[in-house]
Amino acid sequence: MEKRAVIPSFANYFIMGLLAFVYVTPVLFMIVGSFKPDMLVLPEAGTWRGIFPVTVSLENYVSVFERVAFERFMFNSAIINGLIVGLGLLVNAPAGYALARLRWRGRQVALGFVLTLMVIPFEAIALPLFYQVTVMGWRDDYLVQAFPFVAFPLSIYLFYSFFLSMPKELEEAAYIDGAGIFRTFFTIVVPNAKPAFASVAIVTLLMFWGMYLWPLLVTAGPSVRPLPLGIATFYTLPPLQWGDILAFGVMMVMPVLVVFLIFQRWFVQGVASTGVK
Amino acid sequence: MSGRFRKYLHVNASDAAAWGMAGPALAGICIFILTPFLLAVFLSFTNLALGSPLPLEFVGFRQYRVIFTDTGFSRALLNNLLFLTGIVPTQTLLALMLALMLNQRLKGIAIYRTLFFMPVVFPMSLIAVIWTLIYAPGPDGLMNTFLGIVTFGAWEPRDFTNHPHLALPAIMLLSVWQGVGFQMVVLLAGLQGIPENLYEAAAIDGAGRWSRFVHVTLPGLRNPLIFVIIITSILSFRVFDQVRIMTRGGPRNATTTVVFEAVRVGFDRGQVAMGAAMSVIFFLIVLLITVIQRRLLKQEGVQ
């Protein structure tokens, strides 16, 4: 079988290596800068010391914890995204199943409704939604940051497509044995739909964990604010200490980066599944 | 459509049970998507402003007229269009190039995929902060140094984020940096879905590399490419985080965007009705792009 090499492999590795190097420079720069004395971050930015570690000091990391409650931001992000992903799977998976497999009055309308609302980007409704929750006197807690994203048309659609393509023999056997819809769904369908659950969990996590606009609108102080807002406010907190800011950044992405490296295959599949229908 | 789906619907569920399963999600999207959307349309025809002593009244299209004459909104629209024309070609071509490279059977290729995909998991707010430092003015800045090296010293250090002509391209660059890994993965999945025997058949017919690319690869990538182009177009209208954190729309509205203006007006200044009108226009733009996408995808279905 022909190897589909575009160019000879040496040149290939070289070009890709160069590209990859340029590409990861900002990340290297962040990591290296976070470990060096604050005074040196900017002066050394344009030298080879900007991206190769020469000094390793944890000073900046200590300083971050002295200046802000980093662990608080981390905890807030974990709670908010845990709610979005966990509750999201709980409500969107059954909805996708009902739309794909059950025959009920209102199914067509509901399906059209979900597909239509998929078109509305969050930025188009952020302001009126902000007004809506403000009128309700609802702000500055975890729920107001998580609830608007729990029921999510794209997730419903992804589950719907998955269940459409799933072989139906297993469920049929369960239904013939007299099991009800809920029991069949939770005992037969869910265990066989793990890839769909993993994809949807990852896609929603990727979409929402970096969210900045909504927490900016509905939170007032650091007590319930998530990391993306944390880094933005920490960056404007005087005095401007770049080493601290970069240390904040490293600590902030590390958990998700580790999760990404471990479950890389799922990330890539999850993302690809949204694009290739 | 319904005829095709009917065979999958093998259960005559009681309506109550089905609503029990679909109900919570449907209720959620009614409350948190449909309601605010209708509210945006409704509010955009009123004079509502927080802290305003005026009674609530309908003002017709006044907000829409005002935003096109009084504010930075026209500039914001222009900037988003510039953003689109800048990043759609570059990001798509770069993603395509990376996907083609990563589609080769070479040792260690997975590492490259990991590296290029990595920025996708970085929140934009963090990227905006890191790149503010990369764009540091003066000869010490990383970007200034880099441009100095590649131009053999001809580059004069600039203050990127405060430069009237460079601020917007500077924001585009980091947006491409963050987003290209996503498009790459989508295109890579598309490439891997093209049957190998098409390439073999083309090779037997004497097609060269370029010819195979044009006649096998590109047609095979049609849908993923449309998807990538459309998503990037929509994203270039959704730009907000970078602008809010890096430039606040400046210098002199050079980097303001539609969503940034909507938040500045509707949230910072409390002019709810005007912000709602901007949200509605933003939605109509995204809708237009989506309709174009559906058209293009449908055309192919007919062929």
Side-chain angles (χ1 to χ4, degrees), chain A residues 2 4 6 12-13 23 45-46 100 103-105 123 127-128 131-132 151 168 181 209 228 235 253 260 264 271, chain B residues 7 9 11 13 15 18 31 48 103-104 107 114 117 121 125 132 140 142 145 177 180 182 196 212 238 262:
Chain A
E2 196 211 4
R4 265 191 273 144
V6 181
N12 232 320
Y13 279 119
Y23 209 75
R103 191 183 305 172
W104 43 289
R105 223 171 303 157
E123 288 82 354
L127 286 169
Y131 184 69
Q132 190 181 328
K168 52 188 178 182
I181 290 169
W209 103 271
Y235 156 66
V253 285
F260 162 64
Q264 202 190 144
V271 166
Chain B
K7 66 175 184 232
L9 305 173
V11 178
D15 287 351
I31 297 169
L48 185 69
N103 196 33
Q104 304 170 99
K107 261 194 195 130
T114 307
F117 190 76
V121 307
S125 58
T132 304
D140 288 335
L142 186 59
T145 308
W177 182 78
V180 78
F182 175 86
E196 192 73 29
R212 268 176 289 165
R238 294 175 66 182

Side-chain angles (χ1 to χ4, degrees), chain B residues 135-191:
Chain B
Y135 287 137
D140 288 335
L142 186 59
M143 185 54 77
N144 275 321
T145 308
F146 174 77
L147 290 173
I149 292 170
V150 297
T151 59
F152 301 104
W155 175 261
E156 276 176 39
R158 312 273 163 95
D159 184 357
F160 293 94
T161 52
N162 270 314
H163 190 286
H165 300 305
L166 291 178
L168 192 63
I171 290 182
M172 287 181 197
L173 181 64
L174 68 95
S175 310
V176 169
W177 182 78
Q178 198 237 6
V180 78
F182 175 86
Q183 335 294 66
M184 175 194 81
V185 163
V186 172
L187 293 179
L188 190 56
L191 280 175

Side-chain angles (χ1 to χ4, degrees), chain A residues 84-95 150 159 185-186 197, chain B residues 21 24-25:
Chain A
I84 293 176
V85 174
L87 293 177
L89 294 178
L90 199 66
V91 304
N92 295 320
V150 167
F159 276 118
F185 179 73
F186 284 106
F197 279 85
Chain B
M21 294 194 86

